[in-house]
């Protein structure tokens, strides 16, 4: 049945996704998950975050396109949905990239217990 009737009386076009395509996408997603775990051990330096984010972006795109049926949707809807993935990846990436500059002082702070470090708005201890 190519068209089904919705509750409002409008015809809704449906499509059947071949099982072979869904299994192929699933295998690719599993392979990308394994790649993410393996890439964690690679000495990529400052690029390790970006590699993980790009792999996650590819996985999210595959899920959206094939399991959420965006591949068969209107072009603008696909563009709007997938561009949100890209921007979220960039926002998270740039935010986490900035923390690398402060990582040493963050790791050092609990060990040193330095009383000279005062955070704005934090309560002060008086002896």
């Amino acid at each position: 049945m190519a068209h089904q009737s919705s509750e409002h009386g409008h015809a809704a076009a449906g499509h059947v996704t071949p099982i072979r395509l869904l299994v192929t996408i699933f295998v690719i997603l599993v392979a990308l998950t394994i790649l993410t775990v393996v890439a964690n051990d690679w000495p990529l330096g400052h690029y390790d975050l970006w590699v993980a984010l790009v792999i996650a972006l590819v996985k999210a795109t595959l899920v959206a396109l094939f399991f959420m049926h965006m591949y068969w949707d209107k072009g603008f809807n696909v563009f709007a949905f997938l561009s949100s993935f890209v921007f979220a990846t960039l926002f998270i990436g740039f935010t986490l990239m900035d923390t690398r500059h402060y990582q040493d002082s963050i790791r050092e702070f609990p060990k040193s217990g330095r009383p000279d470090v005062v955070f704005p708005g934090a309560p002060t201890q008086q002896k």
Side-chain angles (χ1 to χ4, degrees), residues 47-76:
Y47 296 108
D48 59 349
L49 171 69
W50 289 105
V51 168
L53 284 175
V54 167
I55 293 171
L57 176 65
V58 170
K59 288 168 52 178
T61 301
L62 287 173
V63 168
L65 285 177
F66 296 104
F67 290 116
M68 296 174 64
H69 304 276
M70 295 292 282
Y71 183 77
W72 296 276
D73 205 352
K74 294 179 183 176
F76 180 75

Side-chain angles (χ1 to χ4, degrees), residues 74-86:
K74 294 179 183 176
F76 180 75
N77 293 341
V78 174
F79 172 75
F81 195 76
L82 294 181
S83 64
S84 68
F85 282 151
V86 172

